[in-house]
Amino acid sequence: MGRKKLARLDGIDDALRVGPEAGSFDLAGMDRAATPCVKDAATAAELRPLLGDELADLQERLYAEGRTGGTRSVLLVVQGLDTAGKGGIVRHVAGMMDPQGLAIRSFGVPTPEEREHDFLWRIRRALPAPGRIGVFDRSHYEDVLVARVKELVAPEVWEARYDEIVAFERDLVAAGTTTVKVALMVSRDEQYRRLAARLDRPDKLWKYNPSDVDTRLQWDEYQAAYQAVLDRTSIPEAPWYVVPADSKDYARLAVTKLLLDALRSLDLGWPTPDYDVDVEKARLATTR
């Protein structure tokens, strides 16, 4: 039964991918409680662990390739408003893999040193090394989302960044980094419930920030900014995947499957040793 349900996930790439044509995806009209290719959230929770073994195996193959001269890597970019579930993706999806093969970075307010450079400087420094899977909890897209809505830079500055990002990502993919970009989209009502829940739990108060209310007051502006990102930066080399995030279980399953598909596309094998296996077996036997 699990195998049959897993087969339905093969369409999740097409269901969530944003086409390269501007206006091909209407963010305002999406159902953020939907579970494309999956019956419901309970089914999503059941299916995700079934992908874990293959995900871990392919990650190890990629890591082994990088340790033996390979140049390929994978980058998972996770964007979303507060409470969209970015941290849960890091814990529950990246947590299914070996930490030594991961490079996880979170991008907040730029440091004084980072402000002295162009907005992509800190991103380039955080890219995954060969053989690694990089996970960005927020990313360079903050510079056309928060920077735009909060008016941190002039319009002509953030406007030029869309083309800079596209050029950067095309170069990144051409250099061997398979890039998976995920936008977690939570509804306004669900975001309210999650923020209210944080205020009711002493163990979650540290996750709450008064600025979260300020963000909610600019909900429409952020939605417009996300729509522009999808319109301007979903390219064939690195398309956007928009994931309905009202169900945390579904969002985690969807991202797991998208990452797994990216690894599958690399057709990863095991490195060929640069020594004679039979000779080494004989030498080892002499040490008994």
Side-chain angles (χ1 to χ4, degrees), residues 51-74:
L51 302 178
D53 287 345
E54 185 182 3
L55 184 68
D57 174 70
L58 292 178
Q59 185 220 8
E60 185 178 5
R61 291 171 185 248
L62 178 65
Y63 184 70
E65 180 182 282
R67 288 289 300 270
T68 54
T71 60
R72 298 187 295 180
S73 60
V74 173

Side-chain angles (χ1 to χ4, degrees), residues 93-133:
V93 178
M96 301 171 79
M97 297 177 284
D98 189 335
Q100 71 176 339
L102 298 175
I104 300 173
R105 285 292 305 271
S106 180
F107 295 93
V109 177
T111 65
E113 180 186 20
E114 290 168 347
R115 289 195 186 97
E116 294 176 357
H117 302 271
D118 73 272
F119 77 103
L120 289 172
W121 180 79
R122 64 176 182 167
I123 304 300
R124 289 191 174 95
R125 288 164 56 88
L127 291 173
R132 263 66 168 193
I133 296 176

Side-chain angles (χ1 to χ4, degrees), residues 18-36:
V18 176
E21 306 83 9
S24 63
F25 183 86
D26 177 20
L27 186 59
M30 78 171 291
D31 179 1
R32 302 181 188 206
T35 57

Side-chain angles (χ1 to χ4, degrees), residues 156-220:
E156 58 268 22
V157 174
W158 56 255
E159 176 68 32
R161 288 174 176 171
Y162 295 113
D163 290 340
E164 293 179 61
I165 288 172
V166 167
F168 164 69
E169 290 181 349
R170 282 185 171 140
D171 288 344
L172 184 63
V173 173
T177 300
T178 299
T179 302
V180 181
K181 302 186 303 192
V182 174
L184 301 175
M185 287 297 158
V186 66
S187 67
R188 196 168 190 271
D189 288 345
E190 179 61 20
Q191 186 194 53
Y192 176 85
R193 286 189 286 270
R194 293 180 185 181
L195 288 173
R198 288 180 180 179
L199 289 172
D200 284 336
R201 291 181 53 177
D203 62 326
K204 297 296 183 181
L205 290 176
W206 66 273
K207 297 184 71 174
Y208 182 87
N209 191 314
S211 67
D212 294 339
V213 173
D214 299 326
T215 297
R216 281 183 61 78
L217 292 173
Q218 293 183 295
W219 179 269
D220 291 342

